[in-house]
Amino acid sequence: DFLDKFKGKKFYSSLKYDGTSSTYVIDPKDKTFYICSRNTVQDPNSKRNWYVEMNKKYKIYDKLLKHECRYAIQGEVYGPKIQKNNLQSDEVKIAIFCIKDIINNKYLGMQEMIDVCKELDLPMVEIIEKGDSFDYTLEQLLEKSKGKYPGTEQNREGLVYRLQENWNTVEGGRMSFKVINDDYLLTK
């Protein structure tokens, strides 16, 4: 389905980090700060918590507040003791993969996300490919997903594909998909 929906459109692929998803947002109405894992809201005062640690390390709360609570950011937290640390990081880090402008109720396109990550001084997922006209078969995508995490001998989990613009508004749903590396699946 996605191959047809993407066909001929501007797209990009990014590295799929093997970690745990996190979301950070400040409610613009009452300034309540939310730190969320994939399924639960985290206590921002927790002492031993990767999600809270990322907020402190990257000063996420301060940066979101400085930008008038405009953005909700999602990232992948990875490092020691998270999954199998396939990226072989010596410390816990975050890589931003999605930003929503909550004031305008709009997910940012690729270039806007790059610009906001630079402005907020937050690390972003590695972009692997940018293209003007998507035209891949499933077999080609499976081949492209193969590879190792940079600087390691660990099979990467795969790639994430999104449209460069309007990736969350075209045809009424999120226009993104993952292509999982078969070699990664065999070692899991």
Side-chain angles (χ1 to χ4, degrees):
D1 221 22
F2 280 106
L3 300 184
D4 290 333
K5 290 178 181 180
F6 270 60
K7 192 164 184 75
K9 294 183 172 88
K10 287 186 173 189
F11 72 97
Y12 71 100
S13 67
S14 61
L15 184 64
K16 172 68 180 86
Y17 287 62
D18 189 10
T20 182
S21 179
S22 60
T23 303
Y24 302 85
V25 62
I26 299 173
D27 186 326
K29 294 176 189 147
D30 65 12
K31 304 297 188 260
T32 302
F33 183 45
Y34 295 96
I35 299 174
C36 305
S37 64
R38 182 174 177 177
N39 298 314
T40 60
V41 176
Q42 301 294 307
D43 177 0
N45 299 310
S46 175
K47 299 284 187 235
R48 297 186 55 83
N49 178 308
W50 296 313
Y51 311 100
V52 174
E53 184 182 325
M54 293 302 91
N55 173 52
K56 291 176 184 169
K57 180 176 184 171
Y58 295 100
K59 299 177 175 67
I60 295 171
Y61 173 80
D62 296 333
K63 292 172 182 179
L64 293 178
L65 194 60
K66 181 179 175 185
H67 286 81
E68 301 171 351
C69 311
R70 167 174 231 111
Y71 301 115
I73 61 170
Q74 289 183 293
E76 195 77 2
V77 177
Y78 64 97
K81 299 183 182 177
I82 300 175
Q83 303 292 18
K84 293 181 181 176
N85 191 21
N86 284 328
L87 285 106
Q88 297 182 343
S89 177
D90 57 355
E91 61 182 296
V92 179
K93 298 178 182 178
I94 192 170
I96 306 304
F97 61 79
C98 179
I99 300 177
K100 183 175 184 179
D101 178 336
I102 58 178
I103 304 299
N104 293 311
N105 193 28
K106 170 188 172 258
Y107 285 88
L108 302 187
M110 180 195 70
Q111 191 56 54
E112 291 173 296
M113 184 169 67
I114 291 168
D115 294 344
V116 169
C117 281
K118 282 182 184 174
E119 186 178 341
L120 297 177
D121 192 26
L122 293 172
M124 196 178 114
V125 292
E126 179 183 345
I127 293 180
I128 303 298
E129 178 184 16
K130 294 186 243 184
D132 289 331
S133 182
F134 184 89
D135 190 26
Y136 291 122
T137 64
L138 179 57
E139 292 74 22
Q140 289 171 319
L141 291 172
L142 287 169
E143 191 59 36
K144 284 181 162 295
S145 74
K146 293 183 177 191
K148 308 284 185 193
Y149 281 115
T152 78
E153 289 301 314
Q154 302 297 316
N155 290 315
R156 66 183 181 198
E157 186 175 348
L159 301 174
V160 177
Y161 285 81
R162 287 200 171 125
L163 297 180
Q164 287 187 29
E165 301 278 330
N166 302 318
W167 68 271
N168 199 41
T169 57
V170 176
E171 300 176 30
R174 283 193 178 197
M175 294 292 287
S176 68
F177 62 91
K178 292 184 262 190
V179 181
I180 304 300
N181 177 0
D182 286 336
D183 295 333
Y184 170 85
L185 291 173
L186 290 173
T187 60
K188 193 146 169 85

